[in-house]
Amino acid sequence: PFELEGQMIDIRCSIGIAQASGTQAGADQLIKNADIALYAAKSERGGAYRFFEPKMQELLTQRQTLKAELAAALDNSELELVYQPVIDLFRNRVSSFEALLRWRHPERGLISPADFIPIAEETGLILPIGEWVLNQACLEAARWPRGVGVAVNLSAVQFRNKSLSRTVADALAKSNLAPTRLELEITETVLLTDSEANLDVLHEFRKLGVKIALDDFGTGYASLAYLRKFPFTKIKIDRSFVADLGEA
């Protein structure tokens, strides 16, 4: 670590390593292999190193193919929403549904969000996809009984879009859905990146009348101080804290 303008800075490096052999194709291929290994090292954590393995090339090719196919998935109507019910145990009824995004690939079948959401965030495709999800969920919820709401997850990347609050307002207007029936779920990452600007956006949401839920609380670095800075309507504690409640 070194001091920069009064702050201690800790810079780490990631390293990709490729070893030459008798069958090596040449310097260009060696550098390419090292670059692929570097990509694998960066995907793990800061300060990691990886040796090149042939399967890395295959995984990288698959990822690049998935990127290209995801770009066309929205236009080809391959994305769909499923709805997970939220049960009010006190009243013994469904109080709302959480909209969950799925990608039904024409050849691969259902692709896990864990596989394509990071790609969508990396490429910026999460912006048009997220807008589509918001509009579809609001339109669907408008057909439900009045007491039933819908929750939509927002990516931290979507907060880089300065017109995010306008996008939410437009979705409500197009669907004629009451703002109080829409709940937007965010993660702690939103609070940790450009927190003041993002908190301003959250306050804009509240002015619209929508609810705000903090998802997976307790898994990141957000402190209880954030809960005082913004009046969340719901806090969803990460499952790791409650998984063993039923055991002695």
Side-chain angles (χ1 to χ4, degrees):
F2 63 93
E3 186 176 341
L4 178 63
E5 297 182 354
Q7 294 189 7
M8 296 303 296
I9 306 298
D10 183 13
I11 294 181
R12 300 183 180 186
C13 69
S14 298
I15 304 174
I17 306 168
Q19 295 175 300
S21 66
T23 59
Q24 191 65 43
D28 289 343
Q29 186 63 46
L30 189 64
I31 293 174
K32 180 180 179 181
N33 292 348
D35 192 45
I36 293 173
L38 175 61
Y39 183 87
K42 286 182 176 180
S43 67
E44 292 187 357
R45 63 186 187 279
Y49 68 90
R50 289 291 301 273
F51 284 89
F52 172 77
E53 299 175 9
K55 66 178 181 180
M56 290 180 181
Q57 174 69 65
E58 181 181 348
L59 292 174
L60 184 60
T61 300
Q62 291 176 355
R63 184 178 178 84
Q64 293 302 112
T65 301
L66 209 59
K67 276 186 183 181
E69 293 175 341
L70 181 58
L74 188 57
D75 292 334
N76 294 338
S77 300
E78 297 172 11
L79 300 181
E80 59 186 56
L81 294 180
V82 296
Y83 295 92
Q84 177 174 279
V86 178
I87 309 298
D88 183 338
L89 294 178
F90 183 75
R91 295 178 175 83
N92 195 30
R93 65 178 179 84
V94 174
S95 61
S96 63
F97 289 88
E98 181 178 355
L100 303 175
L101 180 62
R102 297 291 184 265
W103 178 10
R104 192 175 297 277
H105 193 282
E107 298 176 0
R108 306 169 190 254
L110 280 177
I111 297 178
S112 170
D115 293 331
F116 72 84
I117 291 297
I119 294 176
E121 292 179 329
E122 176 187 324
T123 60
L125 287 170
I126 193 66
L127 297 181
I129 290 175
E131 183 174 348
W132 177 84
V133 169
L134 186 62
N135 279 284
Q136 287 296 115
C138 288
L139 286 170
E140 187 72 24
R143 305 188 190 102
W144 301 342
R146 290 188 177 183
V148 180
V150 65
V152 176
N153 292 278
L154 292 182
S155 163
V157 178
Q158 290 176 268
F159 278 76
R160 299 174 190 170
N161 181 5
K162 301 301 181 182
S163 61
L164 179 57
S165 58
R166 172 50 53 190
T167 299
V168 174
D170 289 345
L172 291 171
K174 292 175 185 176
S175 62
N176 199 30
L177 181 71
T180 53
R181 294 177 60 190
L182 175 62
E183 182 177 83
L184 301 175
E185 292 193 7
I186 67 168
T187 62
E188 293 181 5
T189 309
V190 171
L191 302 177
L192 298 175
T193 56
D194 200 8
S195 59
E196 291 303 323
N198 289 343
L199 282 174
D200 288 341
V201 175
L202 294 178
H203 280 290
E204 291 177 10
F205 290 161
R206 290 308 307 272
K207 288 179 182 178
L208 291 174
V210 303
K211 301 174 183 177
I212 308 293
L214 181 59
D215 197 10
D216 296 334
F217 183 74
T219 59
Y221 301 96
S223 67
L224 293 174
Y226 282 107
L227 306 184
R228 299 185 62 184
K229 293 179 68 174
F230 186 83
F232 292 98
T233 52
K234 180 188 292 185
I235 299 173
K236 299 175 69 175
I237 300 173
D238 185 70
R239 69 178 65 187
S240 60
F241 292 94
V242 298
D244 298 329
L245 285 181
E247 300 180 7

